[in-house]
Amino acid sequence: MKKHFFRRTFAIYFLVLLVSIIFIERYATNIVRTTYINELKESLTVQAILIADNIPLQQKDELDNLCRRFHQMTGARVSVISPEGTVIGDSHIESPVIGNHADKPEIKQAAIDGTGYSLRFSNTSRLDLLYTARKIERDGKLSAFIRLALPLEDINKSINALRIKINLAVILLLLMSGALLTWQTDRIRIYVSKVSDYAGALSHGLFRKRLYLKGAGEFSELAESLNEMAGELESTIKERNEKTNRLSVVLKSIPDALLLINTSNIIELSNNAARELFGNIHLEGQSYIEIVKSPDFASLINTVKQDRMPGSVDIVLNFPKEHYLSVRVSPLSYQVGELSGFIAIFHDTTQIKKLEKMRKDFVANVSHELKTPVTSIKGFAETLLDGALADKEHAEQFLRTISSQSDRLNRLVEDLLTLSRIEMGVIKINKKTLKLKDLIDRALKTFVVQADKKNFHLRNSIINENITINADPDRLEQILLNLLDNAIKFTESGVIEAGADHEGEHKYFYIKDTGSGIPEEYLSRVGERFFRVDPSRSRELGGTGLGLAIVKHIVLAHQWQMKVESKVGRGTIVKIFYL
Ligand code: ADP
């Protein structure tokens, strides 16, 4: 396309040049020829006038010789013609041989004007000749015509020489101007192609590139304008990109899931939280109905579409995971008065719901746990007041029950307080380097009497006295006591062992028993507040249902981990990973 344009321009220039040069050549040669002929006419006329006066018309026999002499002097063919047109003297041919000349144009014109001219091809000499005829008058009477004829061979020769010169000059000029034109059009082509390449680069977003065209006249100005334009485009696009980036960062960092839905129910934009919420799939381009599977949400969208007012609804999503969500939908309009779509923000309330449930369960559990001993204490106290005090034997038994229920109440309150203190951070963890063997020995001693009552052994499997642990001494003791208390409660015979070991690089201490064990389905719940496999048996054994919850909290406060492994009828091992 580009090349075609330049080839055409070149052809037009060349054609114009050729036509004008041909015209100049024709014009110049024509002028030269006319001038030359005119000068020749004048000179022949003068010669004819001079000869005319010296022609002895009476000596007819001498006329041919005379004519020859004049020919030698002038170089022209000289003829003397009678008024009737008969050639009576000629420098070239014997005069009687020549036919009548009365009708020759130069003779006719000379008869009228005195002098006549004619330019024509002569059959006699087979050349182009200029004829000049002059009237000879003697005594006021037409006596003859003198005619001089000169071949135009010379003029033709000099015109041809001129033409050759002009043509040579023209060819030289054509070559020079062609070369100049080629050079110039090539320069222009290079500039145009540079400009077009640059424009191409700009269209591909390479706004940093600059175009330098030195000494290229208007092209340099064009390059400067393009550079300026690129600079402006670069800053505009940079600004726009920054805005878009900022927007996308803001969108990404919004913790709530966000969907931008158009009026055809198609999701146009989503953030990371939304992708996570809906199962890590690509949401853009999908219908929201396929993604947010909630009739309540769909009806909220319809309401917002009708009312053009924001609205909210609480929904539950069951896929991919159960989620409680508080959704707010706002209408979106890019142009005034026109609904362009909706923005839906999904606030995840699952955790709040869970906490609420935990709080309710906790209150119910605490009330339930407190109710039993309080009812029992109240019942026995009333019985005593109603007269049982007098019955000494029963009164003592009742008072013992009241005392043991009070102990139970006390334990419960103590455990609850410990838990809430750890949770609220009131109990601080002051870590010290402690010898694990000593600590376990001391804890085991507390249970010696109870172990004797039942049929099992207490064993500390740590031999190395130098095994140390970095822990808060009081809290670690509490962990050991709680775990040993459970082991003893749920073991009838066998061995209760405390020790230390490691799994790969991870070190742990453990309490292991050969007791009733915990069914596998409950293992994940062990450590929840008030969770017991068998609540009534736990209560019977004096348990509050908070022992492992306390252990779990202390473990977390030390940034350790607890793992419970158990087999029903075979026993339980609780491992505390401390490194
Ligand atoms: P409890 O006061 O009932 O012992 P815990 O929180 O200490 O409360 O224990 C919760 C429940 O976990 C217990 O009721 C029991 O069912 C189970 N459990 C804990 N330790 C053991 C163990 N060593 N052997 C069998 N069951 C256990």
Side-chain angles (χ1 to χ4, degrees):
M1 182 76 190
K2 265 191 300 185
K3 276 192 179 160
H4 180 73
F5 171 77
F6 281 107
R7 237 181 270 155
R8 211 170 51 189
T9 313
F10 187 78
I12 290 169
Y13 276 139
F14 202 79
L15 208 74
V16 168
L17 214 69
L18 200 71
V19 167
S20 46
I21 283 166
I22 288 171
F23 174 76
I24 288 166
E25 188 238 6
R26 294 271 150 201
Y27 184 71
T29 50
N30 220 14
I31 284 179
V32 169
R33 190 182 164 85
T34 315
T35 316
Y36 191 88
I37 288 171
N38 283 342
E39 272 177 17
L40 206 65
K41 269 182 188 171
E42 268 174 37
S43 135
L44 284 179
T45 308
V46 171
Q47 285 173 34
I49 290 168
L50 289 172
I51 293 169
D53 289 340
N54 296 308
I55 300 241
L57 289 172
Q58 302 83 1
Q59 299 165 13
K60 284 194 176 155
D61 297 340
E62 284 300 310
L63 283 179
D64 279 349
N65 286 332
L66 194 75
C67 283
R68 260 176 236 125
R69 272 209 316 275
F70 282 130
H71 163 68
Q72 277 161 6
M73 283 157 68
T74 59
R77 178 180 168 183
V78 182
S79 316
V80 181
I81 298 151
S82 72
E84 293 79 33
T86 316
V87 178
I88 48 177
D90 194 277
S91 56
H92 282 57
I93 307 164
E94 292 294 318
S95 47
V97 180
I98 305 162
N100 195 293
H101 276 30
D103 58 343
K104 298 286 180 201
E106 66 275 8
I107 301 296
K108 277 183 180 169
Q109 196 189 347
I112 299 161
D113 299 336
T115 311
Y117 307 99
S118 174
L119 189 69
R120 63 174 188 277
F121 185 75
S122 155
N123 286 325
T124 323
S125 55
R126 310 224 52 87
L127 287 168
D128 273 336
L129 294 174
L130 175 68
Y131 295 94
T132 305
R134 179 84 191 163
K135 196 158 72 170
I136 304 173
E137 283 181 337
R138 297 278 152 87
D139 306 324
K141 257 178 75 187
L142 173 68
S143 311
F145 294 100
I146 172 87
R147 191 183 74 165
L148 271 74
L150 208 63
L152 288 181
E153 207 178 358
D154 288 349
I155 178 180
N156 282 343
K157 268 185 197 162
S158 48
I159 279 174
N160 280 342
L162 183 71
R163 194 168 275 158
I164 285 166
K165 274 182 198 161
I166 288 176
N167 281 340
L168 278 175
V170 162
I171 289 165
L172 203 72
L173 215 71
L174 270 179
L175 286 175
M176 270 164 60
S177 60
L180 214 73
L181 204 66
T182 313
W183 177 73
Q184 184 65 0
T185 46
D186 210 45
R187 248 162 56 107
I188 294 171
R189 197 180 52 73
I190 289 167
Y191 292 146
V192 168
S193 110
K194 276 188 180 173
V195 169
S196 117
D197 286 352
Y198 184 59
L202 290 188
S203 76
H204 283 95
L206 301 169
F207 302 114
R208 296 235 154 149
K209 223 178 155 176
R210 291 288 176 268
L211 180 65
Y212 296 104
L213 296 178
K214 269 191 185 163
E218 282 88 342
F219 282 102
S220 302
E221 280 173 30
L222 181 66
E224 262 173 45
S225 307
L226 281 174
N227 286 342
E228 254 172 55
M229 189 184 83
E232 273 166 29
L233 268 175
E234 190 192 354
S235 60
T236 316
I237 284 171
K238 202 174 147 197
E239 218 171 279
R240 206 190 58 189
N241 284 350
E242 266 172 22
K243 275 186 192 165
T244 320
N245 276 352
R246 234 176 287 150
L247 202 72
S248 84
V249 168
V250 169
L251 267 184
K252 271 184 195 164
S253 54
I254 289 176
D256 288 338
L258 184 144
L259 292 183
L260 202 144
I261 301 163
N262 67 16
T263 45
S264 314
N265 298 340
I266 301 296
I267 298 170
E268 283 191 339
L269 196 86
S270 65
N271 67 350
N272 292 352
R275 247 160 277 149
E276 244 169 64
L277 179 66
F278 297 109
N280 281 320
I281 47 163
H282 189 74
L283 302 173
E284 280 78 4
Q286 299 214 51
S287 163
Y288 82 82
I289 299 159
E290 295 292 316
I291 303 295
V292 191
K293 287 180 176 138
S294 158
D296 290 342
F297 180 73
S299 81
L300 176 64
I301 291 274
N302 286 335
T303 315
V304 174
K305 200 183 262 182
Q306 276 169 13
D307 303 349
R308 308 236 171 147
M309 293 286 282
S312 52
V313 69
D314 287 338
I315 62 167
V316 184
L317 285 188
N318 295 312
F319 184 82
K321 266 202 282 181
E322 187 181 69
H323 278 289
Y324 289 84
L325 300 162
S326 166
V327 194
R328 188 169 172 80
V329 175
S330 305
L332 199 74
S333 64
Y334 301 131
Q335 272 170 9
V336 184
E338 192 183 274
L339 183 72
S340 316
F342 313 92
I343 283 194
I345 296 173
F346 300 78
H347 183 60
D348 197 339
T349 54
T350 314
Q351 204 56 29
I352 299 168
K353 285 269 189 274
K354 269 192 188 163
L355 286 173
E356 247 172 48
K357 190 177 177 298
M358 267 173 72
R359 192 181 54 82
K360 279 182 194 158
D361 288 353
F362 181 70
V363 172
N365 282 327
V366 169
S367 321
H368 184 72
E369 291 301 323
L370 290 174
K371 209 179 157 196
T372 323
V374 167
T375 315
S376 171
I377 290 167
K378 194 172 179 272
F380 284 110
E382 276 171 4
T383 316
L384 285 169
L385 285 172
D386 286 349
L389 243 154
D391 180 354
K392 258 207 150 186
E393 198 186 317
H394 280 104
E396 206 185 310
Q397 197 192 329
F398 289 167
L399 282 170
R400 243 182 236 119
T401 313
I402 287 174
S403 167
S404 88
Q405 290 299 334
S406 307
D407 283 347
R408 184 169 155 67
L409 256 183
N410 197 35
R411 276 199 308 275
L412 206 65
V413 172
E414 285 262 306
D415 281 356
L416 280 171
L417 274 174
T418 311
L419 251 184
S420 75
R421 278 195 199 126
I422 301 169
E423 268 185 343
M424 290 167 77
V426 177
I427 293 176
K428 294 266 179 303
I429 304 293
N430 295 315
K431 285 188 181 178
K432 282 182 185 156
T433 308
L434 307 165
K435 288 190 172 170
L436 202 55
K437 187 179 182 316
D438 295 352
L439 274 164
I440 290 176
D441 276 340
R442 218 177 310 142
L444 284 174
K445 262 183 207 153
T446 325
F447 295 96
V448 171
V449 182
Q450 274 163 288
D452 281 350
K453 278 188 203 161
K454 286 188 174 181
N455 187 21
F456 56 74
H457 300 290
L458 293 174
R459 190 196 295 157
N460 183 352
S461 68
I462 302 177
I463 305 157
N464 186 350
E465 299 226 339
N466 295 325
I467 295 179
T468 55
I469 183 167
N470 206 21
D472 182 305
D474 293 343
R475 298 304 126 212
L476 182 56
E477 191 181 1
Q478 194 161 11
I479 289 176
L480 291 170
L481 292 178
N482 282 12
L483 293 179
L484 283 168
D485 184 51
N486 276 348
I488 286 161
K489 271 194 295 190
F490 299 104
T491 307
E492 289 309 317
S493 63
V495 183
I496 290 173
E497 183 186 311
D501 208 340
H502 61 88
E503 273 179 20
E505 287 180 353
H506 306 287
K507 291 182 179 173
Y508 65 88
F509 63 88
Y510 63 89
I511 305 291
K512 189 166 131 189
D513 63 55
T514 48
S516 56
I518 305 164
E520 208 185 325
E521 65 263 36
Y522 297 122
L523 275 178
S524 63
R525 294 196 62 193
V526 168
E528 275 180 25
R529 276 175 275 210
F530 297 113
F531 171 74
R532 291 127 154 171
V533 176
D534 181 350
S536 52
R537 180 159 155 66
S538 159
R539 269 188 219 110
E540 248 173 55
L541 295 167
T544 57
L546 295 169
L548 276 180
I550 291 171
V551 170
K552 196 176 161 187
H553 275 81
I554 299 173
V555 164
L556 287 178
H558 276 85
Q559 291 169 336
W560 296 341
Q561 271 186 337
M562 179 173 90
K563 195 165 149 192
V564 184
E565 292 166 11
S566 187
K567 282 240 158 67
V568 177
R570 302 269 298 271
T572 306
I573 177 165
V574 181
K575 297 176 179 174
I576 309 290
F577 289 86
Y578 62 92
L579 258 181

